[in-house]
Amino acid sequence: MIPSLFISHSWPMLALEQNRYTGFLEGLAAQYPAPKAVVLFSAHWESEVVTVGSTDDSFETIYDFGGFAPELYTLKYPAKGSTTIAAAVQSAFERNGIAAQSDSQRGLDHGAWIILKRMFPAADIPVIPVSVNPFLPPERQLEIGEALRGFGGEDIMVIGSGSIAHQFGFGMDPAMVRRKSMEFEAWIVETAERRDVPALLNYRQQAPHAAFTVPRPEHFVPLLIALGSGAGSAEPKTLYREQGDEWFGRVAIEF
């Protein structure tokens, strides 16, 4: 049984860095049986209707960012898709009353390929990218994940790639932004570890500084999707959490 994962994809330079977090990601896949595919919900692919990437060809590597080191734009992650597994994912959504469509053209954005390049550097695991709609209510995000519950028992890994706090704080006091973001993150992590689903669904009202740290929820909803797709009887476990002077917000949770 492969659990579902929520993984912070941090920033694009993660693809070039060598640090404690990249080391963690490079060793993460070895903790589980080799998956026959990865279904990945990325905060950087938004659509009104849940959309499943469906191809048997290699995905294009999308550089959906700017202003970083030139060598970042030379990196490739040529993983292939699987139309068979993509069809199974789409069917699972539709059986659970979730409208879904497929896309055979879109590549892998940095929310997908940067962490996959660390976890599966050979790019030999088929990838099924799935979009998010950040404007659906939290209960619906959970249901989207629940539609895929059981895929882990078929050796298919489900990953939600995003960030718990996502407030850049341009023009604000950095210390204040860090404090509020870390307090929000701590509440989410501790609540997830208790599997307090009602509280997580009501995070905007219950979590400290939620409106500030999640001004737009596209990076947060992959956590709710991963929660839904994980084994409901399993105890969530925080696999990684980094809180330092340089970085915070690098979190990985197993559901």
Side-chain angles (χ1 to χ4, degrees):
M1 177 71 177
I2 299 179
S4 294
L5 301 174
F6 169 77
I7 299 177
S8 303
H9 58 247
S10 189
W11 68 328
M13 287 297 291
L14 194 71
L16 294 175
E17 294 175 330
Q18 293 294 331
N19 52 43
R20 190 161 65 94
Y21 190 46
T22 60
F24 161 76
L25 292 174
E26 287 165 357
L28 180 57
Q31 299 183 31
Y32 309 108
K36 65 181 181 183
V38 174
V39 176
L40 190 144
F41 294 81
S42 171
H44 290 279
W45 185 12
E46 296 183 31
S47 64
E48 186 173 346
V49 176
V50 174
T51 305
V52 181
S54 179
T55 183
D56 290 315
D57 296 328
S58 295
F59 287 99
E60 174 191 359
T61 303
I62 301 176
Y63 308 102
D64 50 338
F65 45 77
F68 292 95
E71 57 265 40
L72 191 58
Y73 302 89
T74 69
L75 299 180
K76 304 289 184 184
Y77 191 74
K80 293 185 176 181
S82 168
T83 55
T84 300
I85 297 175
V89 170
Q90 185 171 345
S91 294
F93 288 139
E94 293 169 347
R95 285 197 308 271
N96 287 273
I98 298 164
Q101 61 189 12
S102 64
D103 184 323
S104 63
Q105 302 298 316
R106 192 179 190 277
L108 297 178
D109 60 66
H110 81 272
W113 69 262
I114 283 179
I115 59 173
L116 292 175
K117 190 172 179 64
R118 291 294 187 177
M119 292 176 66
F120 306 103
D124 56 353
I125 305 295
V127 179
I128 315 300
V130 187
S131 69
V132 299
N133 180 347
F135 303 110
L136 296 176
E139 293 79 6
R140 194 58 169 168
Q141 309 289 356
L142 187 73
E143 290 171 358
I144 289 170
E146 288 175 338
L148 303 185
R149 184 171 289 179
F151 272 53
E154 300 176 16
D155 290 334
I156 296 174
M157 178 180 284
V158 179
I159 297 177
S161 172
S163 179
I164 291 179
H166 200 246
Q167 171 59 264
F168 291 113
F170 296 125
M172 303 179 193
D173 175 23
M176 179 272 292
V177 173
R178 174 180 290 272
R179 176 182 61 80
K180 289 186 175 182
S181 296
M182 292 176 70
E183 289 175 5
F184 174 76
E185 178 188 288
W187 188 93
I188 294 295
V189 170
E190 292 162 8
T191 305
E193 288 176 339
R194 297 196 307 271
R195 194 180 282 281
D196 189 342
V197 175
L200 287 171
L201 294 179
N202 200 35
Y203 77 97
R204 301 229 24 123
Q205 288 72 43
Q206 295 191 27
H209 320 300
F212 177 80
T213 52
V214 185
R216 195 173 185 277
E218 80 286 344
H219 275 72
F220 185 82
V221 297
L223 183 145
L224 298 177
I225 293 170
L227 169 66
S229 65
S233 59
E235 182 176 328
K237 180 168 59 176
T238 300
L239 303 176
Y240 187 96
R241 187 174 177 206
E242 184 172 335
Q243 293 182 298
D245 292 336
E246 183 178 357
W247 276 108
F248 69 95
R250 289 174 169 174
V251 176
I253 304 174
E254 175 186 288
F255 292 106

